Amino acid sequence: MSTNDNANSGLYSQTAPRESEGNETTPLLPNISSARGASFAFSVFNLMNAIMGSGILGLAYVMASTGILSFCILLILVSSLAGYSIHLLLKLCDLTGISSYEDLGGRALKKPGTVLVGIAILIQNVGAMSSYLFILKSELPAAISSILSPDQSGDVWYLDGRLLLILITLCVVLPLAMFPKIGFLGYTSSLAFFFMLYFVIVVVVKKWSIPCPLPQNVTCQVSNSSDMECTPRLFIVSSRGAYAIPTMAFSFLCHTAVLPIYCELDRPSKSRMQNVAIVSISLSFLLYFVSALFGYLTFYAHVKSELLLSYNAYMPRDVLVMTVRLAILISVLLTVPVIHFPARKAVILVLRGNRPFSWLTHIMTTLVILGVVLFLAIFVPDIRNVFGVVGSTTSSCLLFVFPGLFYLKISRQPLRSLDSIGAMFLVAFGLVVGVISLSGIIFTWVQRF
C-alpha cells in the first residue's frame, strides 16, 4: 500500500494556480524548474517507495483466489489504469499549476471537492496504517518467539500481539507522529524499497525449500493433502475473488505523491514525469507479480491473507524467514508515522481550513487518528478486510474516479477527445468495480455468519 510516501504530499509548498490560455499549458512551477531537482532515477525510486507497501503481503492470497492467468490480467488492467490516471493528473497539474491533490479537488468541485478528497485521503491512510499495525500485531510475537528457545515460549505477555501493539504505538509511533514536520523520516522510508526487494527474493528462494503437498500441520486438515493441490490453476471463480481488484488498487495507489515528486523532478516536463511513472509502475508490477506467483506456488490454496503468516507454521525458526520478518517489521514501524502525516493534514484542512498552526488541534488530531487506527488493528480479524474495504472505496476513488472526474471538470477538451473518453471510462470503471467489490465482500461476511 502503497502509501509509504503519501506524506510527501504535505512536505512541499504549492504555487499559486495559473490558468492556461487556449490549448497551451503553462510551465510547471518555474521557480523550482530553474533549480536543479531530483534526477530521473531518484524520482523513480521515490515513486516506487510510494507504490510499494503492505499490499505486497496480500497479493499471493489474491492469486490463490483468482488463478494465475486471471490475476495477471487484472494486475495488468489495474496497473495500466493507474498509469493512465497519473497521466490525467499531470495534465491537470500543467494546466492549472496546482501541485496538491486536495486543491485539484477544490478547483474541480470547489469546497466540496476539497472536503471529498481530504476525507478519501484520511480513510485511505487510516486503512494503510491499520494494515501496517496489523502486520506488527501478527508478526512481532512470531519474531520474538523465533528468537527464544522453545521452552521459553508460552502464555507470556511479550508474546501477546495486542499488548505489544499498544506498547509499540505508545512508545515509538506516537512520539514520531507528534512532530509537526516529518522531513527527517523521508530518509528512513527509503529503506522500505530494499526491504520489499529482499522480501521478494526470500519468497522466490523459499519456493524450493517447502515441499508440496504441505504437511498436515500447515494445511490444518484432518486428511493429508492431495497431489492435486500442488497443481497451479489458471482460472478460479470464488467469492474470495471480490478482494482481487480492491487489493490491487490498494497496492498501486501513489497518486497523492505524484504531484510533489513532479515538482522536484530535474527539468520537469509532463513527458519526463510520465516516463518516471511508467518505469515505477512497471518495476512495482514485476515485484508484485513475482512475489504473488512464488507465494502461490509455495502454498497454493493454503496461502494466508498475509503471506508471512504462511511461513510461520512451516518454518518459524528459519534464518531467512526471521530476517525478512525483521526487515518488514522495521519498514512498517518507520512508515506508520510517515503515513500519519497526510491523514492529519487532511483532517485539519477539512476542519480548520488554512488557519494558523495550533498545537492543541495538532495533538488532539494525532491522538484521535492513532486511537482509531489502533482500534482497527486490534479488532479487525483479517488483513484482507482492510485491503478489501479500503481498496473498493477510497482507493478506487483516488485511483480511478477522482482523476477522471477532475479532468472532465477542469479540462477544456471536448467530450469526444481521447482523454475525455478515457476519463469517463475511469470514472465508470472505478464506480462499477467499487460497488461490485464492496457488495461481494459484504456477501462473504454474511456467508461467514
Side-chain angles (χ1 to χ4, degrees):
M1 148 162 248
S2 137
T3 53
N4 284 355
D5 288 340
N6 282 351
N8 290 344
S9 61
L11 301 178
Y12 303 86
S13 60
Q14 173 196 341
T15 59
R18 297 181 300 149
E19 294 288 352
S20 62
E21 297 180 2
N23 291 326
E24 297 180 358
T25 58
T26 58
L28 173 69
L29 308 177
N31 57 318
I32 292 179
S33 60
S34 60
R36 182 168 179 80
S39 66
F40 182 91
F42 192 73
S43 298
V44 168
F45 181 78
N46 281 341
L47 192 57
M48 285 192 69
N49 279 340
I51 296 172
M52 303 292 291
S54 59
I56 196 172
L57 299 177
L59 290 176
Y61 176 84
V62 172
M63 182 175 285
S65 304
T66 59
I68 296 176
L69 195 54
S70 299
F71 176 91
C72 188
I73 293 172
L74 291 176
L75 197 67
I76 291 174
L77 176 63
V78 172
S79 60
S80 299
L81 291 179
Y84 182 69
S85 62
I86 289 175
H87 159 75
L88 294 183
L89 287 178
L90 294 177
K91 289 195 71 170
L92 292 178
C93 188
D94 273 356
L95 181 66
T96 63
I98 292 176
S99 60
S100 165
Y101 207 147
E102 294 98 327
D103 290 321
L104 275 180
R107 173 61 66 89
L109 303 174
K110 303 189 182 302
K111 180 65 174 178
T114 302
V115 173
L116 203 60
V117 175
I119 291 174
I121 291 175
L122 171 63
I123 297 175
Q124 170 68 32
N125 286 5
V126 165
M129 286 186 284
S130 299
S131 71
Y132 277 65
L133 291 185
F134 185 96
I135 294 169
L136 278 171
K137 181 185 72 173
S138 60
E139 292 297 333
L140 193 54
I144 295 175
S145 179
S146 64
I147 297 173
L148 300 175
S149 60
D151 58 341
Q152 289 181 283
S153 300
D155 190 14
V156 290
W157 69 269
Y158 50 81
L159 295 180
D160 185 339
R162 295 182 177 184
L163 180 58
L164 289 175
L165 183 59
I166 294 173
L167 291 176
I168 289 292
T169 302
L170 293 178
C171 297
V172 181
V173 177
L174 179 59
L176 292 176
M178 276 296 179
F179 284 93
K181 295 183 179 181
I182 56 170
F184 69 98
L185 289 177
Y187 298 102
T188 59
S189 66
S190 63
L191 294 172
F193 169 73
F194 293 105
F195 289 152
M196 293 298 173
L197 180 60
Y198 179 55
F199 168 79
V200 174
I201 293 172
V202 171
V203 170
V204 173
V205 169
K206 286 303 172 184
K207 163 68 180 82
W208 316 113
S209 303
I210 299 178
C212 192
L214 297 173
Q216 186 174 331
N217 67 317
V218 176
T219 60
C220 298
Q221 295 177 350
V222 176
S223 59
N224 292 330
S225 301
S226 65
D227 290 331
M228 289 297 295
E229 292 185 358
C230 301
T231 303
R233 299 177 62 183
L234 298 181
F235 294 97
I236 299 174
V237 178
S238 70
S239 59
R240 298 190 306 172
Y243 292 89
I245 292 182
T247 302
M248 293 175 184
F250 188 96
S251 301
F252 277 103
L253 184 63
C254 60
H255 294 47
T256 55
V258 167
L259 299 185
I261 291 174
Y262 186 13
C263 295
E264 287 211 334
L265 179 64
D266 184 31
R267 293 178 285 112
S269 67
K270 179 186 173 298
S271 60
R272 186 169 166 82
M273 185 60 201
Q274 187 69 55
N275 290 334
V276 168
I278 292 172
V279 173
S280 301
I281 290 176
S282 299
L283 292 176
S284 299
F285 174 94
L286 180 63
L287 293 179
Y288 279 156
F289 182 75
V290 170
S291 65
L293 177 63
F294 282 87
Y296 169 61
L297 293 179
T298 302
F299 298 100
Y300 294 94
H302 301 293
V303 65
K304 297 183 182 296
S305 58
E306 199 265 83
L307 183 55
L308 279 177
L309 292 176
S310 300
Y311 294 97
N312 291 346
Y314 186 74
M315 42 177 54
R317 298 182 183 277
D318 182 83
V319 174
L320 272 181
V321 173
M322 289 170 58
T323 56
V324 78
R325 181 185 291 123
L326 182 62
I328 293 296
L329 289 177
I330 294 174
S331 172
V332 164
L333 189 59
L334 295 177
T335 303
V336 171
V338 180
I339 302 175
H340 180 274
F341 186 85
R344 181 178 59 214
K345 173 177 171 284
V347 172
I348 295 176
L349 181 65
V350 170
L351 296 180
R352 291 176 52 86
N354 294 318
R355 295 178 187 175
F357 176 81
S358 166
W359 271 110
L360 178 61
T361 302
H362 175 86
I363 293 172
M364 292 302 296
T365 305
T366 300
L367 292 175
V368 170
I369 292 175
L370 281 183
V372 172
V373 169
L374 187 60
F375 177 85
L376 291 174
I378 289 175
F379 292 104
V380 170
D382 197 325
I383 195 173
R384 67 173 181 167
N385 294 326
V386 177
F387 294 151
V389 174
V390 175
S392 61
T393 54
T394 57
S395 295
S396 292
C397 288
L398 293 169
L399 191 66
F400 306 124
V401 178
F402 289 164
L405 180 61
F406 296 167
Y407 183 83
L408 293 174
K409 293 289 291 185
I410 297 174
S411 173
R412 298 176 182 176
Q413 295 295 319
L415 290 179
R416 294 184 178 180
S417 67
L418 186 61
D419 279 334
S420 294
I421 294 173
M424 286 187 285
F425 175 79
L426 273 181
V427 174
F429 179 83
L431 291 174
V432 171
V433 167
V435 171
I436 293 176
S437 298
L438 186 59
S439 301
I441 292 168
I442 294 174
F443 177 73
T444 60
W445 292 349
V446 173
Q447 275 188 322
R448 247 180 265 164
F449 296 103

